[in-house]
Amino acid sequence: MLKKLIFSIIFFTILFGYRCELGKEHNRSRPELELSYLSQSGNFMIHYDSSGSNSPVNLDENNNLVPDYIESVSQIAEESRDVLINVMGYQQEPDDADGIYDIYIQNYSRWGANFPESTNGESYIIIDNDYSGENFESDYCSNYLDKMRISVAHEYFHAIQRSYRPDYNQDHDFLLEMSSMWFERLMVDNCSDYLTFSESPIGILQNPTQSFDGTDVDASNQANFGYSMALFGHYLSRITDSKGFEDERNSDIVRKIWEQYCYIQGSDSCPENQSPREAIIQAIEGFGDSFSRAWSDFMARNMLNGSYSYFNQNMYYHEDQQYINPPSVGITDVISQNEASTINLVLNPYSASIITLIAFNDMIINSGFSNNLDEFNGYYSLRGDVNTYNFIDNTNFSLNLNDMDTYSLVLTSKTGSSSVDFSFEVAIAPDLVLSISKVYPNPIISNQNIIFQIETNSAIDFIDEARLNIDLYNMLGQKVGSFYENIQLNSGYNDISIPLKNYINSSGTYIIKAAIDLGEHGYKNYSKKITVFK
């Protein structure tokens, strides 16, 4: 098994290598290319050859004698600069004396490179000329122009980063790559190549219990681990800094991380030489959150990766979660009715401790912790016919599990290393029958009420109250409305009426996602398409 793991890591490194190169040789010579193109605003000079192996894709649809590829490089560079500096408030890249940033187009073996020229931070970029060939294959990005765009955005953010850490001898590949991978996805919606690295043998999803800052990873793999951690960047800029939930360009938190990480020797503005770990934790705390809560929440939400074929905003932090697998976690126990057990977990303040149980029958699991909640933050996730996840706010709680459900606990210590005993007892679940038997009328006029008919048996008499949760989505997967109401259910048929006009005002086809929350007795889910006429 160990030999197989070592082989897979070596194979991955050979196959993918570093997607981006962070050169550190101060005496490196810039490429010598035939032509130059000044961007419209004058901020960028794009260097290229008109012929030969380095020449770009030969298209010139506007007949201005400049390859369209070169103009596209210029455009995404200008867009990236505008977003980073004018929208998100980052410092400008260090000047190399002429006030123009240089990008070189070559037949290159990697997606891109950023080369610093001195310990003052000035740098230049090299980008591939066509993104064709096996070095540029990706399951999550197919268009060669999109591959070029994410590469320019990625490498230019490295240039910006050097205004915060100009001495390349102080580079920490983990943080540089985590944030550049995060930024490239902000700039190009339909290109998510970073997901390739999230699921790599040394990525965070294959190693979900290692330290978040890559200190468990060999130094030679810090960059690849950083690529995989772009997911956490998206979590921080959508959940921790909620200003970015609809548009991450409204978020400040990644910039705050770089402001914490900023170090210029002898400077009053950046006097502290912090580690990436310290910078990230302090930035999170600056938003009134704690790292232990954020990290356990992040990993618990990842446990539901791939459960939905749309952006479920109640459980996902990013739409790309629908395309990837959950973290690779071994099964701690397969549990059956009338079982009782205690599991000891060693907790760490910089990583997640995870246990995973699989239910062998329908059951109620009564859980408890030996320690109080002052020592750790934690979430549980439930994956199966019904998917849910929740913050652990009580040392004792109960859940209803269906046969073959996966029940995971994700805990992170609030302070130093510690341990906690997790105990559970399994009881036979009540023979509850509950379903949404009908949603009508369909089609429906938008000013009508829509009726949910819920059917249950007499076992419902043992449940005091239920909660009906309804989310409405358009066909693009965007949430257009939500409805929540506590309801009292009786055995037989129950009709719940909802005024549709409060949530949908436009004609079209919509998806209704309904869940009946029975507290400790679990969830029942329902999904249906409806057609609405104005």
Side-chain angles (χ1 to χ4, degrees):
M1 180 63 187
L2 179 59
K3 290 182 179 179
K4 182 178 180 181
L5 176 61
I6 293 172
F7 173 79
S8 67
I9 292 174
I10 293 172
F11 176 76
F12 176 84
T13 303
I14 292 172
L15 181 64
F16 292 96
Y18 293 118
R19 212 195 69 179
C20 141
E21 186 175 1
L22 292 169
K24 299 179 182 180
E25 299 91 339
H26 69 277
N27 60 350
R28 178 186 295 273
S29 298
R30 292 190 179 210
E32 295 183 4
L33 301 174
E34 176 186 358
L35 299 173
S36 297
Y37 172 78
L38 183 64
S39 66
Q40 188 171 7
S41 70
N43 291 314
F44 294 90
M45 186 71 77
I46 317 301
H47 305 269
Y48 65 101
D49 282 344
S50 61
S51 61
S53 62
N54 286 328
S55 61
V57 178
N58 188 26
L59 291 175
D60 183 18
E61 293 186 355
N62 59 3
N63 296 313
N64 67 347
L65 303 182
V66 177
D68 295 342
Y69 189 85
I70 299 303
E71 293 180 296
S72 295
V73 170
S74 170
Q75 182 180 4
I76 186 62
E78 290 287 7
E79 290 174 359
S80 299
R81 188 179 195 275
D82 179 63
V83 169
L84 283 166
I85 296 173
N86 298 326
V87 176
M88 303 186 76
Y90 285 85
Q91 299 175 168
Q92 295 186 26
E93 73 278 7
D95 188 1
D96 66 355
D98 65 0
I100 302 172
Y101 195 84
D102 295 293
I103 301 176
Y104 297 85
I105 309 302
Q106 288 188 305
N107 184 5
Y108 203 55
S109 61
R110 297 186 179 185
W111 290 55
N114 177 281
F115 292 111
E117 293 188 288
S118 80
T119 55
N120 294 322
E122 59 267 41
S123 66
Y124 62 90
I125 289 172
I126 297 178
I127 297 296
D128 192 67
N129 62 338
D130 61 7
Y131 288 87
S132 64
E134 63 181 13
N135 286 345
F136 306 109
E137 293 178 358
S138 172
D139 291 335
Y140 300 101
C141 189
S142 58
N143 183 276
Y144 77 97
L145 287 176
D146 286 338
K147 294 175 184 180
M148 175 273 291
R149 291 184 182 108
I150 65 170
S151 298
V152 173
H154 182 115
E155 303 303 338
Y156 180 66
F157 193 21
H158 283 324
I160 293 285
Q161 292 161 6
R162 298 196 186 282
S163 68
Y164 296 90
R165 280 257 174 168
D167 186 350
Y168 57 81
N169 296 304
Q170 299 284 337
D171 279 355
H172 195 292
D173 290 352
F174 153 70
L175 183 55
L176 271 71
E177 299 299 5
M178 169 184 163
S179 46
S180 276
M181 278 286 194
W182 161 82
F183 177 67
E184 69 180 44
R185 180 62 176 80
L186 270 61
M187 295 304 300
V188 186
D189 281 341
N190 54 343
C191 189
S192 301
D193 182 68
Y194 73 97
L195 294 178
T196 302
F197 296 89
S198 299
E199 298 188 291
S200 76
I202 56 176
I204 188 60
L205 296 184
Q206 290 295 316
N207 305 276
T209 60
Q210 71 182 17
S211 294
F212 80 97
D213 58 348
T215 52
D216 299 341
V217 178
D218 183 85
S220 63
N221 284 316
Q222 284 285 325
N224 280 326
F225 181 73
Y227 298 153
S228 80
M229 280 289 291
L231 283 169
F232 191 49
H234 291 301
Y235 173 89
L236 293 175
S237 58
R238 296 177 65 90
I239 305 302
T240 304
D241 183 3
S242 60
K243 298 190 304 296
F245 190 82
E246 296 298 331
D247 185 346
E248 290 180 70
R249 289 171 288 192
N250 295 328
S251 169
D252 299 323
I253 191 166
V254 176
R255 191 189 79 238
K256 295 293 186 184
I257 291 171
W258 275 97
E259 290 171 352
Q260 293 283 353
Y261 186 55
C262 182
Y263 178 63
I264 302 173
Q265 190 170 7
S267 167
D268 292 335
S269 60
C270 298
E272 296 185 24
N273 189 6
Q274 290 190 336
S275 69
R277 170 184 290 180
E278 293 167 331
I280 291 172
I281 291 175
Q282 288 188 24
I284 292 172
E285 290 174 348
F287 283 83
D289 203 352
S290 70
F291 173 77
S292 62
R293 192 218 63 81
W295 188 250
S296 56
D297 182 31
F298 168 70
M299 293 306 304
R301 291 183 190 232
N302 281 318
M303 291 295 176
L304 298 175
N305 289 349
S307 298
Y308 302 93
S309 58
Y310 62 96
F311 183 15
N312 185 317
Q313 297 182 19
N314 289 332
M315 300 184 192
Y316 285 169
Y317 56 85
H318 195 275
E319 62 182 291
D320 286 350
Q321 288 181 264
Q322 63 186 296
Y323 305 119
I324 54 178
N325 294 315
S328 178
V329 180
I331 304 304
T332 307
D333 196 4
V334 178
I335 54 176
S336 55
Q337 292 176 355
N338 300 317
E339 183 176 344
S341 186
T342 298
I343 300 171
N344 179 259
L345 292 96
V346 177
L347 306 183
N348 188 284
Y350 307 118
S351 62
S353 297
I354 304 173
I355 63 171
T356 302
L357 309 175
I358 292 184
F360 197 64
N361 308 100
D362 294 348
M363 63 183 66
I364 293 175
I365 181 169
N366 301 306
S367 307
F369 292 99
S370 61
N371 301 22
N372 62 48
L373 301 182
D374 293 336
E375 297 186 22
F376 63 89
N377 276 301
Y379 284 77
Y380 69 79
S381 66
L382 189 61
R383 184 185 182 102
D385 293 335
V386 176
N387 299 305
T388 185
Y389 99 108
N390 237 318
F391 181 63
I392 298 171
D393 58 2
N394 200 308
T395 54
N396 297 285
F397 57 97
S398 299
L399 285 172
N400 180 274
L401 274 63
N402 296 322
D403 187 28
M404 300 310 296
D405 278 355
T406 301
Y407 169 40
S408 297
L409 286 174
V410 182
L411 309 179
T412 300
S413 173
K414 292 181 179 180
T415 54
S417 298
S418 61
S419 66
V420 60
D421 288 335
F422 170 71
S423 301
F424 64 88
E425 295 182 353
V426 177
I428 298 174
D431 189 17
L432 175 66
V433 175
L434 186 147
S435 65
I436 297 177
S437 56
K438 185 185 295 185
V439 175
Y440 64 92
N442 187 19
I444 184 173
I445 307 299
S446 61
N447 62 1
Q448 291 180 308
N449 285 12
I450 192 164
I451 310 298
F452 286 76
Q453 188 175 86
I454 302 171
E455 181 181 3
T456 186
N457 63 355
S458 58
I460 198 69
D461 296 337
F462 295 98
I463 300 174
D464 294 331
E465 190 174 62
R467 183 175 174 85
L468 180 63
N469 304 324
I470 296 172
D471 292 318
L472 299 158
Y473 296 85
N474 61 25
M475 295 308 292
L476 297 176
Q478 299 166 325
K479 187 190 292 187
V480 297
S482 297
F483 172 86
Y484 307 95
E485 184 174 284
N486 292 327
I487 56 177
Q488 184 65 52
L489 296 175
N490 301 307
S491 58
Y493 292 96
N494 302 262
D495 286 346
I496 308 298
S497 178
I498 297 172
L500 194 64
K501 64 183 179 182
N502 293 351
Y503 308 98
I504 296 178
N505 295 310
S506 301
S507 299
T509 300
Y510 296 85
I511 300 173
I512 289 181
K513 300 283 184 178
I516 302 172
D517 182 357
L518 301 172
E520 66 183 39
H521 300 288
Y523 281 73
K524 298 293 181 179
N525 281 2
Y526 181 85
S527 176
K528 187 174 182 65
K529 288 184 180 180
I530 62 168
T531 301
V532 178
F533 295 108
K534 181 72 174 174

